[in-house]
Amino acid sequence: MDVAVIGAGPVGLMLAAELRLGGITPVVLDRRATPDERPRANGLGGRIAEQLDHRGLLEKFAAEAAFAGPFPGFPFGPVPLDFTKLGSPPLRGLMLQQPRLEALLGERAVELGVEIRRGHELVDVGTVLGPDGEYRLDAEYVVGCDGAHSRVRDLAGIGFPGTTDDELLRFGHFRTDRPFDLFTTAYGLNRGWNRRPAGRVLVTSLTPGVVIAGVREVTPEPSGEPTLDEFRESVRRVLGADLPLGEPLWLSRTVSSARLAERYRAGRFLLAGDAAHVFPAGGSALNVGLLDAVNLGWKLAAVVRGEAGEALLDSYDAERRPVAARTLTQTRVQALLERLTGEDGDALRTLFGELAAFEEPTRHLAGLLRDADELPYVADLPLTVDGEKTRVAEIMRDARTVLFDLADRADLREAAGSRVKIVTATCPEVVEDALLVRPDGVVAWRGGDPAALREVIGAPGR
C-alpha cells in the first residue's frame, strides 16, 4: 500500500481524492463505524472555494448550500466587517453544514476509486484494529487527518504546543416551532454572541425551525456525555433565564485550544487539518485543513510515483505551516476580542469597531480571513482555446501541472516536456508568453525563457 489516510473527515476525504487524481490509490481508515453527523462547521469561505471550482465541485456544493457567493460581511470575533464598501468582494464561500459537505466529499472519493474503511482504528505503527480484530497496515506513507487528538501525530513523536482556554463551550442545535424573533424580542438577545457578566450566550439560525445555541462560561468540564439539563443550567447561570430551545438535535461541549504542530512531517508520517493545527476562534479550521490537502495531495502523489524526490514533501511543511501560524495569530486576536471582559475588553472592541469602519483595515482583515497564504495563486482568467471560450478553473479539473502557452510558442511547449499538461490559449489579461501552474493553483513560473521553464519543471517544488 502506498498511502494510508487516517481519518475520513472532510480533510482526509479531500486528500484521498487529490491523491487519486495524482494516480495513487490510497486507503482511508476511520475509527468511527459511521460518518459523524454533528454539524461542527457551517460552511466554507475564502480560497478553498476557488480550489473547489478547480476540481469541478463548487457548483455541485453550492446547489445544496443555504448560501453561496460573495459574503456581504463577516464577523471578526465580535466585530462585524462590512464588505459592501470594498468594491470587488474579498471573501466568497458557501453555507453548507459539515455532515453534508463530508458526504459529498465521500461520494467524490468513492467515485474516483478510493476505499474507505470505517470502524478501523490505527492503534500502533503498522497495526489497525478493525471489526474483525487486529491486522497489519503496511503503507509507505501515513497521513494523519485524525483531528486534534491525532494518533498519527503521537506515533510520529510530533509535539503540539499551544494553549488551552479556561472557558467551556456548550453548543447545540435545537428543533423548535417558535419564531426566531422570540429570542430578540422576549429575551433581548442579538443574533450571534451576547455578552453577560458570567459569560456569553449564542443564539442564531441558519435553517427555519432550527435554533443554534451556545453558552460559554469559566467552569470545569464535567464527565460523561452532554445533556439537555446540563445545557439549560449553564444558560441559566450565564443569562439568568431559561430559553425555549426545543428538542436537541445534537449537543456538544468543548474547550477551545490554540495549537500548532512542531512540524508537519516526520519521515513517512505527515499531518493535515486539525491534526496539524487547531484555532481558538473564527471558523478557519476547515478552510485551512482542506487547503492543506490540496497542497499535499499532488506532492505526495508525485513522490510515490517516483517523479519527485523527498524534498518535495518538505515543501509541504515550508508552505503550509506558516499559513497555520498566521491563521493562529488572527484567531487568537478574535478569541481575545470575544473573551476579554471589563473596561479593557470594552475599549479594545470599541477601537477595533472604529478601525473596521475604514476601508483599508477591513480589506486587510478580509484578506486574513480569505487566505493567510502569500504564494502566487493563479486567477480564474478567461481563455480562448481552439476558438472556444473557457477559463483557468475548467482546465485544472484533473489536478495536473499545466503550462498555459499564451503565445503559441513551440519552444516553450518542447521545454515543458511530457510531464505537464500543455494548453495553448489566448488571454488578453496576461502579458507574459506563458504561465506554469501547479495542481494546487500556484503559479510556479511565468515568462518566455525556455531554459528557465525547463529548470523550474525539474526543480523539487515545481
Side-chain angles (χ1 to χ4, degrees):
M1 184 188 304
D2 294 321
V3 179
V5 177
I6 311 302
V11 174
L13 294 170
M14 185 76 180
L15 175 61
E18 291 291 296
L19 289 168
R20 206 52 209 100
L21 290 171
I24 303 303
T25 304
V27 170
V28 179
L29 308 180
D30 196 290
R31 61 181 179 82
R32 302 183 191 88
T34 58
D36 190 350
E37 293 299 324
R38 294 174 295 172
R40 293 180 294 175
N42 290 308
L44 300 170
R47 192 168 59 79
I48 185 56
E50 299 163 26
Q51 292 297 324
L52 291 175
D53 194 16
H54 279 201
R55 298 299 181 259
L57 298 174
L58 183 59
E59 185 175 350
K60 181 177 182 179
F61 286 19
E64 298 199 25
F67 170 87
F71 290 119
F74 208 80
F76 189 83
V79 178
L81 303 178
D82 179 9
F83 298 154
T84 60
K85 59 193 174 187
L86 299 183
S88 59
L91 191 66
R92 297 177 180 271
L94 59 156
M95 302 304 292
L96 181 64
Q97 290 189 334
Q98 184 167 327
R100 187 56 190 149
L101 172 68
E102 190 171 307
L104 291 170
L105 289 171
E107 291 170 10
R108 164 75 163 172
V110 171
E111 287 170 1
L112 292 172
V114 174
E115 179 188 359
I116 302 173
R117 301 179 188 173
R118 298 193 182 275
H120 292 249
E121 181 179 4
L122 183 71
V123 294
D124 206 342
V125 177
T127 303
V128 173
L129 178 62
D132 299 322
E134 288 189 354
Y135 64 91
R136 290 291 302 169
L137 178 74
D138 295 316
E140 186 176 355
Y141 292 96
V142 178
V143 186
C145 302
D146 49 345
H149 302 288
S150 171
R151 180 62 175 157
V152 174
R153 190 184 61 237
D154 290 344
L155 291 173
I158 298 175
F160 202 42
T163 58
T164 299
D165 198 352
D166 59 357
E167 282 188 334
L168 180 66
L169 167 63
R170 293 181 173 91
F171 198 68
H173 287 209
F174 301 84
R175 192 185 308 281
T176 180
D177 57 1
R178 297 170 184 254
F180 183 80
D181 290 348
L182 171 72
F183 296 99
T184 59
T185 56
Y187 293 89
L189 297 173
N190 296 317
R191 184 183 289 266
W193 284 102
N194 295 264
R195 192 174 303 279
R196 296 293 184 269
R200 286 165 283 155
V201 173
L202 165 75
V203 287
T204 190
S205 179
L206 301 174
T207 306
V210 177
V211 171
I212 300 173
V215 56
R216 289 182 178 273
E217 61 175 331
V218 177
T219 185
E221 182 173 5
S223 60
E225 293 297 315
T227 67
L228 179 58
D229 285 343
E230 172 196 332
F231 191 95
R232 285 173 170 165
E233 290 170 6
S234 181
V235 170
R236 195 178 301 120
R237 284 194 297 270
V238 173
L239 188 62
D242 291 312
L243 291 179
L245 294 171
E247 173 195 356
L249 300 176
W250 70 276
L251 296 168
S252 72
R253 72 168 89 89
T254 185
V255 177
S256 296
S257 294
R259 297 185 180 277
L260 178 62
E262 291 177 339
R263 58 191 188 279
Y264 281 14
R265 182 189 175 208
R268 66 189 185 99
F269 295 98
L270 297 114
L271 305 176
D274 288 354
H277 43 70
V278 291
F279 308 122
S284 298
L286 191 53
N287 303 324
V288 176
L290 290 172
L291 291 172
D292 290 344
V294 175
N295 184 287
L296 176 59
W298 72 272
K299 295 176 178 179
L300 184 53
V303 172
V304 171
R305 291 196 312 266
E307 295 181 2
E310 294 278 322
L312 188 57
L313 292 182
D314 294 333
S315 76
Y316 167 62
D317 180 288
E319 291 180 354
R320 292 304 301 167
R321 193 171 180 277
V323 173
R326 184 64 171 153
T327 304
L328 196 58
T329 295
Q330 59 97 344
T331 54
R332 281 184 186 275
V333 172
Q334 290 193 57
L336 180 62
L337 286 167
E338 286 277 13
R339 186 174 63 244
L340 195 61
T341 60
E343 294 181 359
D344 289 342
D346 292 341
L348 187 62
R349 286 182 286 273
T350 297
L351 181 58
F352 256 80
E354 292 175 358
L355 292 174
F358 294 93
E359 181 176 325
E360 283 310 309
T362 299
R363 191 180 302 281
H364 179 73
L365 293 176
L368 288 177
L369 294 171
R370 178 186 179 274
D371 184 7
D373 197 335
E374 296 183 357
L375 292 173
Y377 288 90
V378 68
D380 192 19
L381 301 166
L383 305 171
T384 301
V385 179
D386 296 329
E388 299 291 331
K389 300 294 184 181
T390 186
R391 56 195 179 95
V392 165
E394 294 177 348
I395 304 296
M396 301 299 296
R397 299 291 195 244
D398 53 2
R400 294 184 60 191
T401 298
V402 179
L403 175 71
F404 290 93
D405 169 21
L406 304 176
D408 195 11
R409 287 184 50 179
D411 58 338
L412 291 177
R413 296 194 294 272
E414 180 182 359
S418 60
R419 290 171 57 187
V420 304
K421 180 178 179 178
I422 299 174
V423 176
T424 299
T426 58
C427 178
E429 297 185 18
V430 179
V431 298
E432 294 91 351
D433 285 357
L435 301 176
L436 184 70
V437 181
R438 301 183 339 188
D440 56 0
V442 173
V443 178
W445 173 87
R446 60 174 67 226
D449 182 353
L453 172 61
R454 194 176 293 110
E455 182 178 355
V456 170
I457 289 177
R462 77 179 195 290

